Amino acid sequence: MSSGVGTAPLVSAIVILYNQDRFARAAIESVLVQDYRPMEVIVVDDGSTDDTAAICAGFGDRITYLRQPNAGAGAARNTGMRHARGALLAFLDGDDIWEPGKIGAQVSAARARPDAGVIVVDGVKFEDETVLAPTLYFGPVQQHFAAHGGTEMITDCYERLLRGFLIYSPSQVMIPREVFSRVGPWNTRIRVASDYELMLRIAGAGYPFVFLGAALMRYRIVASGLSGPADLREFTWGLDGFLVFRAHAAIVDPRHRGKIAERLREKTRSLARRAYYHGERVERAWSRRYLARLTVRSRRPHLVVPFLVAALLPPWVVELASRVLSRSYRGCTAGHDVRGRRQCG
Amino acid sequence: MRVSVCIPTHQRAGLLARALEALVHQRVGSELDWEIVVANNNCTDDTPRVVSQYAERAIVPVSQVFEARPGVSYARNAAIAVATGEILAFIDDDIRPEASWLAAALNALECEGADLVGGRILPEWEAPPPAWLSANDELYDYLGLMAMSERRRLTYPFADRPRIWGGSMMVRRSTLDRVGVFNVSLGRIGAGLRHGEESDLIRRVLQAGLVVVYDPAILVYHWVPRERMRRRYFWRWVFGYAEGKAFYGGPRPAGASRLGFPRWMYRSLLRQGLRLAGAPLSLRRQIDFFWELGLMVGWHKRAQVERSATR
């Protein structure tokens, strides 16, 4: 990376806003109070219909304000990148907040590891003034910091990313521009999980990821955010996951394709099962709609249709069928008494 | 010493604004005297308004010249004619120079005692590139990109890499006075993909015994739209390049001729055709085939011109 990272590189902060006028001021201010310089602040308004424009106008020429017709988070970040001049790009969603030292810490890490593809900071989940969770890390990253402590973790994470996403929010990441010039911009055809798809591409191109242990951003919990109601979020993300992996399979090295197909089969089975039982507990109509969408989206109808049929039948039929099936199953496998064996034979 | 940055443009006001925005934010010493010259090549869109907007805003002079004859070489030559600098820098309208671009290019020109310099051209993809494209650095050449990260002197005949493309280069006016400007029979015209005008200029510079340097510190980003991420684009590019090369460059192909073409041309076209038939989906073989085809068409056109000239 020779594009100016030698001496205090220019950082472009790219803030995207979509109807978040309640939070926009706090988000933009958290960028402006960063103690790192030189920095430019680009705010992309993704076609908001609320007071976002007026709030941004209040910041005058301290920010570059861009507005586009609503096109989604990925497209908004791309618009920001096209106007950004920095060698390092940091992203912020309009309802999140950076802590003052966030950019400084990431720039130090980027200069120490010029080969890094992504520099991630930890954060907290919050609602109003209450911290709901002290870390955004989970899975292997959380385990690493729990087991080894330390201030940073540097890792190649393509295999891990194929098993599931690792980074909670795009507001945590800083990415050198040269990385985008290798793997391409944010995918605009994926609505919710475009960050996951980008991380797969960056990791797949062989760039190591740097995770910093310090919690330097605040992730706002909003009941009706982009991802929809919180309890259904895993299902919404699940459907988007198919788009992610399909988009990824189209551009990935062909030798990874078998692995990706296997991941998609597992995912289809587990989503179908979980959606069916969620429907039984909460709302059957929802689970029917969801399973129908999953049948189409997964392109593996044979794995989903049995659950869809079960969700369509009256509950007592399903109950009866499962009892009959489980009895004959028990009969076949118990195996020790002569009668059971005869019944099966 | 004055520097003129010349930008030929054709119907791309949006991209041009992006290039101008990056230019007015160049980090250069305040003592540097420089200007921007936009060569408007038959634009019917917003281009004049975009340029005058920047002319008002920029702290350096921004001028525009209109060139009606279509072709990137005509446009660059028009800019050279009105530019007042002793040093001429060129970028295209789909290029976004890094803030350090102008300073780095001047530095290379001075420190190396060079007459012409160029540098790294990295892609700025419109959409995620497919694997066959992003994993294959060879294809970068066809997109006007150059990723090599070592500084080198160029020699003629050209090595595969590094090459210097017209999207980012800087040359002394005294050099152009000596070897001439861009060859107007080469270079992209409208939507056509004829190429080689910058290679042709660099060849003349090298043959005059002057110094040409590639320096990776001179960094620009080149906009790569979706349509250039398709195979069809690469076929057309290679065909256009080969056609231009056969039409203009080098000595007349030797060897006995049959039906107006040298015999070896039939042989190599047939060989590439057979190889393509063996693996019709291989982009490498498609490219090789279109190269031979382009050579043949270019040679045919050249023969026609030569015939009408001798008549």
Side-chain angles (χ1 to χ4, degrees):
Chain A
M1 229 172 30
S2 62
S3 50
V5 177
T7 56
L10 176 66
V11 172
S12 300
I14 297 168
V15 186
I16 60 164
L17 294 169
Y18 178 59
N19 286 343
Q20 288 153 317
D21 57 358
R22 282 176 301 162
F23 310 129
R25 181 167 291 122
I28 295 170
E29 268 165 10
S30 83
V31 177
L32 292 171
V33 302
Q34 292 294 312
D35 50 17
Y36 180 81
R37 292 287 178 279
M39 192 162 90
E40 63 171 1
V41 185
I42 294 168
V43 177
V44 185
D45 179 350
D46 189 20
S48 300
T49 51
D50 59 3
D51 279 341
T52 300
I55 288 168
C56 294
F59 286 97
D61 59 1
R62 285 190 292 164
I63 65 171
T64 303
Y65 174 75
L66 307 167
R67 188 179 161 83
Q68 65 176 29
N70 183 253
R77 291 188 196 110
N78 286 343
T79 301
M81 277 170 29
R82 271 164 217 158
H83 289 82
R85 301 190 309 274
L88 297 169
L89 310 177
F91 300 91
L92 178 62
D93 290 349
D95 43 10
D96 298 337
I97 290 174
W98 285 347
E99 300 288 0
K102 188 235 179 212
I103 293 296
Q106 285 178 308
V107 172
S108 307
R111 294 174 79 172
R113 283 300 298 248
D115 60 327
V118 184
I119 297 109
V120 192
V121 295
D122 195 5
V124 301
K125 285 185 205 175
F126 78 108
E127 188 172 19
D128 302 327
E129 296 304 309
T130 324
V131 171
L132 302 176
T135 177
L136 292 179
Y137 287 156
F138 53 92
V141 182
Q142 190 190 26
Q143 283 156 23
H144 171 92
F145 282 110
H148 307 287
T151 55
E152 64 174 32
M153 167 190 176
I154 300 167
T155 175
D156 292 315
C157 43
Y158 187 59
E159 297 285 328
R160 281 182 195 153
L161 276 170
L162 283 181
R163 290 198 290 274
F165 72 110
L166 279 179
I167 300 167
Y168 204 84
S169 156
S171 306
Q172 292 172 266
V173 304
M174 172 181 276
I175 301 172
R177 179 183 287 282
E178 285 201 21
V179 173
F180 284 105
S181 114
R182 178 95 177 81
V183 306
W186 300 79
N187 193 322
T188 54
R189 292 180 181 159
I190 298 171
R191 201 176 66 95
V192 177
S194 62
D195 51 334
Y196 184 24
E197 192 269 346
L198 177 67
M199 296 309 148
L200 277 168
R201 267 186 279 145
I202 296 177
Y207 289 102
F209 284 38
V210 177
F211 292 88
L212 300 178
L216 291 172
M217 63 81 56
R218 295 159 73 82
Y219 179 88
R220 193 187 298 270
I221 299 296
V222 187
S224 58
L226 190 57
S227 315
D231 57 334
L232 297 181
R233 213 165 269 178
E234 59 166 326
F235 293 111
T236 325
W237 279 338
L239 280 186
D240 262 359
F242 289 101
L243 296 182
V244 168
F245 276 91
R246 210 161 285 139
H248 187 59
I251 56 169
V252 79
D253 198 314
R255 71 199 147 90
H256 293 313
R257 290 208 178 123
K259 242 183 307 190
I260 292 169
E262 175 55 32
R263 271 290 300 142
L264 282 176
R265 276 192 295 277
E266 283 168 24
K267 217 169 133 59
T268 308
R269 275 193 213 103
S270 112
L271 275 177
R273 193 175 56 241
R274 293 200 334 259
Y276 171 75
Y277 287 113
H278 185 84
E280 293 305 293
R281 285 197 311 275
V282 184
E283 193 196 345
R284 294 191 97 216
W286 171 86
S287 85
R288 277 180 216 138
R289 278 198 309 274
Y290 185 86
L291 287 166
R293 285 172 69 196
L294 184 62
T295 311
V296 177
R297 185 67 68 81
S298 69
R299 295 191 193 163
R300 287 168 177 77
H302 61 289
L303 299 177
V304 188
V305 167
F307 289 97
L308 182 58
V309 170
L312 286 165
L313 291 171
W316 64 268
V317 178
V318 180
E319 178 69 12
L320 187 69
S322 73
R323 232 178 251 168
V324 171
L325 285 172
S326 69
R327 185 171 301 157
S328 65
Y329 175 78
R330 210 181 301 137
C332 286
T333 52
H336 292 297
D337 64 312
V338 178
R339 229 173 39 176
R341 233 183 262 171
R342 264 200 210 126
Q343 274 175 347
C344 273
Chain B
M1 184 186 62
R2 195 184 173 104
V3 182
S4 303
V5 179
C6 307
I7 316 175
T9 185
H10 175 65
Q11 296 296 64
R12 291 203 277 205
L15 282 169
L16 179 69
R18 184 169 147 278
L20 289 171
E21 183 72 29
L23 275 181
V24 300
H25 283 98
Q26 286 294 302
R27 274 189 276 181
V28 288
S30 54
E31 73 286 354
L32 183 74
D33 176 23
W34 66 289
E35 62 164 357
I36 299 169
V37 182
V38 177
N40 176 332
N41 199 185
N42 263 333
C43 302
T44 55
D45 61 355
D46 241 6
T47 301
R49 201 180 54 81
V50 167
V51 179
S52 41
Q53 244 174 29
Y54 278 91
E56 282 165 30
R57 270 184 48 199
I59 50 165
V60 297
V62 179
S63 57
Q64 55 182 325
V65 52
F66 187 81
E67 172 57 68
R69 290 168 292 182
V72 69
S73 296
Y74 278 116
R76 288 204 189 106
N77 291 346
I80 294 169
V82 300
T84 55
E86 296 130 59
I87 291 176
L88 301 160
F90 297 90
I91 61 169
D92 288 342
D93 52 6
D94 52 359
I95 292 282
R96 195 173 52 78
E98 275 280 290
S100 57
W101 172 75
L102 193 53
L106 279 169
N107 181 52
L109 206 62
E110 296 301 312
C111 295
E112 300 281 319
D115 301 280
L116 188 150
V117 297
R120 258 195 315 171
I121 307 178
L122 296 179
E124 188 166 338
W125 309 98
E126 183 180 7
W132 59 263
L133 178 52
S134 65
N136 192 344
D137 281 358
E138 264 180 54
L139 296 179
Y140 272 32
D141 298 352
Y142 306 120
L143 291 167
L145 305 171
M146 182 52 58
M148 188 168 162
S149 51
E150 293 124 64
R151 181 189 281 207
R152 289 278 169 82
R153 264 191 176 205
L154 267 68
T155 51
Y156 189 80
F158 294 120
D160 282 348
R161 262 172 225 106
R163 298 289 292 272
I164 290 172
W165 304 126
S168 169
M169 68 187 210
M170 182 181 267
V171 60
R172 294 176 196 277
R173 187 181 281 280
S174 59
T175 308
L176 292 184
D177 290 344
R178 210 166 135 187
V179 306
V181 289
F182 289 97
N183 183 332
V184 293
S185 62
L186 297 172
R188 198 168 52 241
I189 297 172
L193 290 170
R194 196 102 50 81
H195 284 264
E197 80 284 359
E198 64 271 77
S199 301
D200 172 63
L201 174 69
I202 294 166
R203 175 181 61 81
R204 282 180 277 137
V205 173
L206 286 169
Q207 285 177 342
L210 302 174
V211 178
V212 178
V213 171
Y214 170 89
D215 184 349
I218 309 169
L219 175 61
V220 300
Y221 287 94
H222 186 183
W223 179 247
V224 184
R226 268 177 221 275
E227 59 267 23
R228 292 194 181 181
M229 299 185 203
R230 304 208 176 102
R231 286 164 190 260
R232 201 185 317 136
Y233 169 80
F234 291 88
W235 305 340
R236 286 180 55 208
W237 196 99
V238 171
F239 182 88
Y241 192 86
E243 189 189 354
K245 187 184 157 91
F247 185 80
Y248 185 78
R252 213 185 141 86
S257 75
R258 165 172 293 187
L259 295 172
F261 295 101
R263 284 184 177 196
W264 62 263
M265 268 197 180
Y266 293 104
R267 274 202 303 276
S268 39
L269 186 68
L270 183 68
R271 189 170 61 236
Q272 296 304 347
L274 287 174
R275 289 186 65 218
L276 179 62
L281 293 180
S282 153
L283 183 63
R284 184 71 258 164
R285 294 191 184 179
Q286 291 163 1
I287 284 175
D288 290 344
F289 177 75
F290 278 99
W291 173 261
E292 296 299 337
L293 206 61
L295 279 184
M296 230 163 154
V297 171
W299 201 83
H300 175 69
K301 286 184 179 171
R302 176 176 170 174
Q304 273 183 332
V305 169
E306 280 170 0
R307 259 203 306 280
S308 62
T310 51
R311 216 174 279 153

